[in-house]
Amino acid sequence: MNPSTGTPLTQFLSSPTRFLFFTGKGGVGKTSLACASAIALADRGRRVLLVSTDPASNLDEVLGVTLMPAPTAIPGVPGLAALNIDPAAAAEAYREKLVGPYRATLPAAIVRSMEEQLSGACTMEIAAFDEFSRLLGQPEATAEFDHVIFDTAPTGHTLRLLSLPGAWTGFFENNTTGNSCLGPLAGLEKQRTIYATAVASLADGARTTLVLVSRAQRAALTEAERTSHELAAIGVRNQRLILNGLFHAVGDDPVALALQARSQEALAAAHDFLSRMPVSQVALRSYNLVGLHALRALLAPEVPVGLPPATSSALILPPTESLAELVDELAKAGQGVVMTMGKGGVGKTTIAAAIATELARRGFKVHLSTTDPAAHVAAAAGQIRGMEVSRINPLAETRNYVEQVLATAGKNIDAGARALLEEDLRSPCTEEIAVFRAFARTVAQGQAAFVVLDTAPTGHTLLLLDATEAYHREIARKASNLPEEVLQLLPRLRDPDFTRVLVVTLPEATPVHEAAALQADLRRARIEPFAWVINQSFAPSGSRDPLLAARGIGETLFIREVTGQLSHRTILVPWVLEEPVGPARLQQLFPTVNIPMN
């Protein structure tokens, strides 16, 4: 199918299934489109429940309502209710559901042990899934609604979430003792019927539609295609694609023509995938998609934008620094860890790759790595002398971790105890522990070189960092020794002379405000961000295209919010003409600068 012949989103919504899942790479517009679709259906008289399963949900800001874990009516949209599945609250309720009945009957030490086993980040994810399964697999939970729309987390988290029903079903069938790192399985066993119904609902095309959301960008389309294949493999085959933010240049503005050319190249490269999918199109808007008026307008034809009274080249912006100046400051340390963090889709991978290649170009030894399940860091960075590029591979790390535990804790125990340990290690929680250990090992390399970590989207990253204390307890329970890098991880992350955390965002409402929430969470963990990076800004690009100039003017509000309220050091990175992939094109982010060599 030629994407130019794709249908409007309103046509797809004319006969929707009961369950709709919006998923895709971070930053492609899942939340905006899920909200706009929910509003459109409610405006037609349907009763709609909108649910976010993202640990870093921003439904509240987009809808302008403070949401709770229970359905909340949305003022101004009769028939629409929304809720956030709060992972922390879900984990607390989940722990109490399992442990509560035993408080009065078992010794306090045993109750404490059960609570301990339910304290890790994996429990938080399983608990959120438990609530997700209830909404999907327990008909009475959503009986009052005609449609349930899930605004899912970024792709890596979504794939884990949707694959868990099968994983836990298999774990139930192979478990013979009733113990796992989640505690007694009796609590989970009661949910088997709900899990089975959830699996059946996901695979039933008459009830469920998977809506893949993508931009006309190579990375986003590649991610959408991978997601399509992986979810089809677990039975979710009723799929369609929304191409969001499509742009057509007006006139001969170089920035606009470059943006249009990039989009056309990405669509051409994905032709085979697009030809197999029902495709809907949504045009790029000149305004922020926050509030009911903007969301309703998203599904209407775009009103032509007149040239603003001041072009982006004439904008008066607050003082900021360049990416080259940031690298100048980072280079003074000679070694250590640099971490890029932020909402999915803000360009963490690009910024991490740019910093790593620039440090390597200056003669430093650099290790660029990622903890993101949907990593593209190798493609973004390319190869340059002095730089090692790696990815923390969950499958390999889990395999190595299991082998180590069996070789230590399982070395001199009897057959029954070893069977119990092997069974424990089949739990999905084992992967979280193994990845965390690899993360600690990578951070430790900052003692002798620069380590640049392209981290996962915000919610997953915070879960990973929050796992520290639970991991200490878990590995101490299973193995005879605690690795030094694990013992030193939190002190290293909290040491501003060793670890420099960069909060990456876009000059838009939701990315900025989510980054502010991330900064608050980091500070609660006693980790102080080193700087903010505002990425892909049209404000300093000089574009005179009406739509892009209007977006640039709109960006100034959020640039001023960051520089004036949120960050003591702000780096502004303009949108560049060529996609910054590989060492040569990454140099666009360091224009005409004198580079001090090491």
Side-chain angles (χ1 to χ4, degrees), residues 479-531:
S480 57
N481 63 319
L482 192 64
E484 180 65 20
E485 60 264 22
V486 175
L487 286 172
Q488 295 300 320
L489 178 60
L490 262 186
R492 284 171 177 156
L493 293 179
R494 289 168 173 164
D495 182 355
D497 294 325
F498 186 86
T499 299
R500 309 290 177 88
V501 173
L502 305 177
V503 176
V504 184
T505 189
L506 299 178
E508 301 170 12
T510 297
V512 165
H513 297 153
E514 185 165 309
L518 166 63
Q519 178 166 262
D521 286 336
L522 288 170
R523 285 173 171 168
R524 279 193 288 273
R526 289 185 283 156
I527 299 172
E528 182 64 29
F530 181 74

Side-chain angles (χ1 to χ4, degrees), residues 23-26 125 153-163 223 226-227 230 372-374 457 460:
T23 192
K25 182 177 170 60
E125 186 166 342
T155 308
H157 179 83
T158 299
L159 290 175
R160 286 168 59 84
L161 190 68
L162 296 184
S163 67
E223 191 67 25
R226 184 179 72 88
T227 303
E230 292 195 21
D372 192 337
H460 181 79

Side-chain angles (χ1 to χ4, degrees), residues 120-140:
C122 185
T123 298
M124 190 178 292
E125 186 166 342
I126 298 299
F129 165 72
D130 198 47
E131 179 65 14
F132 157 84
S133 292
R134 184 182 69 84
L135 295 171
L136 186 63
Q138 196 170 16
E140 59 271 25

Side-chain angles (χ1 to χ4, degrees), residues 191 316 401 441:
Q191 304 295 101
I316 300 175
Y401 172 69
R441 191 169 60 245

Side-chain angles (χ1 to χ4, degrees), residues 541-576:
S541 71
S543 176
R544 289 188 56 86
D545 179 88
L547 191 149
L548 299 185
R551 287 184 68 90
I553 289 175
E555 289 174 357
T556 60
L557 173 67
F558 304 105
I559 296 172
R560 291 184 182 280
E561 182 177 352
V562 172
T563 58
Q565 303 174 32
L566 297 171
S567 178
H568 62 87
R569 167 176 271 139
T570 305
I571 287 77
L572 184 63
V573 180
W575 195 91
V576 292

